[in-house]
Amino acid sequence: MTQSQTMPALSQQMQDCINACMNCHSVCEETMSSCMQKGGQQQMQVMRALMDCSETTRMCADMMMRRSPMAGEMSMLCAKVCDMCAEACMSMPDDQQMMRCAEACRRCAESCRAMAGAGM
């Protein structure tokens, strides 16, 4: 590949959003593991939101890294999914892992909304 064929470097805003997505993905995975260990109906109800968020954040980061033309739309969807997961996690305010997850989801949602607004 010649110099003119290489992709331009990711903007700092995009790199920050990718990092927020990957962090959120990781925290959601850890939280799912915690839910499975604890069991109980309330944890199981949060699992769907955690699974959706984990998959969506990973996909969103992947799409930004490969500069997909759909990355902006994916970022808006990701922000919505992260907001929903944060709300689900907030239903258990006494669970520190859930609160950690809600915070990661909120940060990711903010970053994704900003990224979608930037027009990629």
Side-chain angles (χ1 to χ4, degrees):
M1 214 186 237
T2 65
Q3 187 66 18
S4 62
Q5 292 174 317
T6 60
M7 286 191 200
L10 294 171
S11 70
Q12 188 60 51
Q13 184 182 24
M14 190 177 288
Q15 189 59 57
D16 290 347
C17 189
I18 290 166
N19 291 342
C21 283
M22 294 309 294
N23 180 62
C24 188
H25 167 74
S26 176
V27 174
C28 283
E29 289 289 322
E30 291 168 19
T31 306
M32 279 190 278
S33 179
S34 174
C35 282
M36 286 188 277
Q37 288 173 357
K38 291 179 182 176
Q41 190 59 38
Q42 195 173 11
Q43 274 83 3
M44 294 303 115
Q45 290 174 349
V46 177
M47 288 291 287
R48 182 175 288 126
L50 289 166
M51 286 187 263
D52 287 351
C53 193
S54 174
E55 290 299 316
T56 304
T57 52
R58 184 193 51 78
M59 185 184 303
C60 188
D62 288 350
M63 290 176 83
M64 282 186 277
M65 286 186 273
R66 67 175 173 261
R67 294 156 178 91
S68 168
M70 299 302 295
E73 290 176 60
M74 186 66 204
S75 292
M76 268 321 295
L77 176 63
C78 189
K80 289 178 185 178
V81 172
C82 286
D83 284 338
M84 287 174 50
C85 190
E87 287 301 314
C89 290
M90 294 297 291
S91 71
M92 288 183 259
D94 296 333
D95 186 316
Q96 285 187 328
Q97 181 63 36
M98 288 290 178
M99 293 303 96
R100 186 170 160 253
C101 189
E103 179 57 33
C105 290
R106 294 253 188 255
R107 277 194 308 271
C108 187
E110 270 182 45
S111 188
C112 282
R113 266 191 290 281
M115 201 65 240
M120 297 280 166

